Amino acid sequence: MGEFKVGTVINDQGKVGIIKKVIEPESRLSNLRLINLRRNYEIYYYDGIVGYLGCKSLERLIEVGSIEVIHLPN
């Protein structure tokens, strides 16, 4: 599936969200051990919730249809 960019809009089981940050493994945040050692996405949802998804989890949820990509930025 590949990597997603900032600005990607998703539909997560009826909730619209946008990827606002891509957290790379070598970033300072990944050193806190709150985030695993692969790419993670910070997603802001329209209702104010902020979520974090790992790259593999996001890909798997798209494959099974739980998350739909609405818009891919250029």
Side-chain angles (χ1 to χ4, degrees):
M1 176 118 329
E3 63 183 71
F4 296 96
K5 296 179 182 178
V6 170
T8 299
V9 179
I10 62 169
N11 178 350
D12 184 352
Q13 300 179 18
K15 289 175 49 176
V16 176
I18 185 167
I19 294 177
K20 294 289 279 185
K21 186 184 288 184
V22 178
I23 303 168
E24 296 294 340
E26 62 274 359
S27 73
R28 289 185 62 187
L29 287 178
S30 65
N31 293 334
L32 298 176
R33 303 219 183 257
L34 296 174
I35 300 171
N36 67 15
L37 295 177
R38 56 177 75 131
R39 180 179 302 110
N40 290 272
Y41 300 103
E42 185 176 78
I43 303 169
Y44 282 69
Y45 292 94
Y46 74 94
D47 59 0
I49 299 292
V50 178
Y52 295 87
L53 271 176
C55 62
K56 297 292 184 188
S57 296
L58 181 58
E59 289 176 6
R60 189 171 44 251
L61 290 168
I62 290 170
E63 286 175 14
V64 299
S66 294
I67 292 180
E68 173 190 3
V69 177
I70 298 173
H71 171 74
L72 291 169
N74 294 332

